[in-house]
């Protein structure tokens, strides 16, 4: 009986080592100039899925390894910065196309962080006053079926990762002006600490 937790810890660490190696390969693919936009997009999506899995499976370990920061920087921030630079360049003949791509990318980023926040709140049973439960929207059930594979985190870690998601939602919204009202709501929730 004492051996099982040790094996689980070893299995979890091995799994995280494997996932971390996969993440490094995907990050390298995203900066490979030989790959086309479709391949880079696919690598970015795979990296998002991988980091989301790491955060949900063992939040404490993922936070120790700064997965949430890597997720933001490599899957979103770098691309946003690149597209902003291209969109601001008035000499760029493809400026309107780049602006459309930036808008699309920001919508995808907003959707990702909204969905991640929903999943984290559901899996870790976090109740945020600004959040409608997924089951009330008919999206997913609030009951998780594979909870045995999830390592239960400290409540402070749950609060941190939820705040992290809200902050990045607030970072994304100013670029899409119609959503400015949402930014103000996210900002007031984060700064008030009422969640």
């Amino acid at each position: 009986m004492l051996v099982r937790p040790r094996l689980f810890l070893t299995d979890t660490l091995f799994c995280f080592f494997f996932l971390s190696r996969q993440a490094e390969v995907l990050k390298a693919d995203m900066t490979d100039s030989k790959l086309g936009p479709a391949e880079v997009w696919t690598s970015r999506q795979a990296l998002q899925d991988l980091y989301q899995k790491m955060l949900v499976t063992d939040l404490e370990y993922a936070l120790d390894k700064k997965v949430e920061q890597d997720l933001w920087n490599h899957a979103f921030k770098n691309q946003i910065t690149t597209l902003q630079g291209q969109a601001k360049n008035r000499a760029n003949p493809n400026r309107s196309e780049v602006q459309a791509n930036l808008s699309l990318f920001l919508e995808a980023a907003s959707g990702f962080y909204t969905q991640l926040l929903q999943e984290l709140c559901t899996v870790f049973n976090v109740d945020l006053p600004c959040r409608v439960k997924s089951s009330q929207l008919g999206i997913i059930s609030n009951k998780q079926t594979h909870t045995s594979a999830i390592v239960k985190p400290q409540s402070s870690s749950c609060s941190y990762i939820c705040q992290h998601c809200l902050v990045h939602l607030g970072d994304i919204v100013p670029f899409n002006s119609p959503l400015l009202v949402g930014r103000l709501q996210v900002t007031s929730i984060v700064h008030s600490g009422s969640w």
Side-chain angles (χ1 to χ4, degrees):
M1 199 68 120
L2 295 174
V3 176
R4 183 62 185 146
R6 208 165 165 216
L7 285 175
F8 180 72
L9 181 61
T10 304
D11 291 347
T12 302
L13 291 176
F14 178 74
C15 180
F16 263 82
F17 174 76
F18 178 73
L19 294 175
S20 296
R21 298 286 297 190
Q22 278 186 305
E24 293 304 317
V25 170
L26 291 168
K27 289 190 296 188
D29 285 351
M30 289 168 37
T31 58
D32 187 350
S33 60
K34 297 175 189 168
L35 295 180
E39 291 87 0
V40 171
W41 182 268
T42 301
S43 293
R44 182 175 292 107
Q45 291 295 116
L47 184 67
Q48 291 170 17
D49 293 344
L50 189 67
Y51 280 155
Q52 182 171 354
K53 180 179 182 177
M54 292 171 80
L55 288 165
V56 171
T57 304
D58 189 345
L59 182 60
E60 297 293 340
Y61 190 78
L63 293 178
D64 284 345
K65 297 299 180 187
K66 301 193 181 313
V67 167
E68 81 286 2
Q69 292 175 18
D70 238 22
L71 170 64
W72 170 249
N73 289 327
H74 293 283
F76 298 104
K77 183 182 174 197
N78 293 345
Q79 181 66 8
I80 291 170
T81 302
T82 299
L83 289 171
Q84 282 179 321
Q86 293 172 357
K88 288 179 183 176
N89 181 359
R90 295 192 188 279
N92 184 353
N94 299 324
R95 188 170 173 220
S96 61
E97 182 182 334
V98 171
Q99 288 173 331
N101 285 336
L102 176 60
S103 181
L104 176 66
F105 188 77
L106 291 170
E107 287 295 322
S110 177
F112 175 84
Y113 274 102
T114 300
Q115 188 272 330
L116 177 61
L117 181 62
Q118 283 287 81
E119 183 175 9
L120 291 166
C121 288
T122 300
V123 170
F124 300 133
N125 199 24
V126 176
D127 188 26
L128 297 178
C130 64
R131 176 183 166 259
V132 176
K133 292 185 179 185
S134 301
S135 60
Q136 292 173 319
L137 298 173
I139 299 172
I140 59 174
S141 170
N142 279 333
K143 295 181 181 176
Q144 296 296 316
T145 55
H146 303 291
T147 55
S148 61
I150 296 171
V151 177
K152 185 167 174 55
Q154 297 175 11
S155 63
S156 61
S157 297
C158 294
S159 295
Y160 169 80
I161 196 64
C162 289
Q163 183 176 10
H164 177 83
C165 290
L166 290 169
V167 165
H168 289 307
L169 282 166
D171 289 342
I172 293 165
V173 173
F175 304 112
N176 285 339
S177 56
L179 300 175
L180 189 56
V181 173
R183 179 181 186 271
L184 295 174
Q185 290 173 344
V186 168
T187 304
S188 67
I189 290 168
V190 169
H191 291 295
S192 71
S194 63
W195 52 282

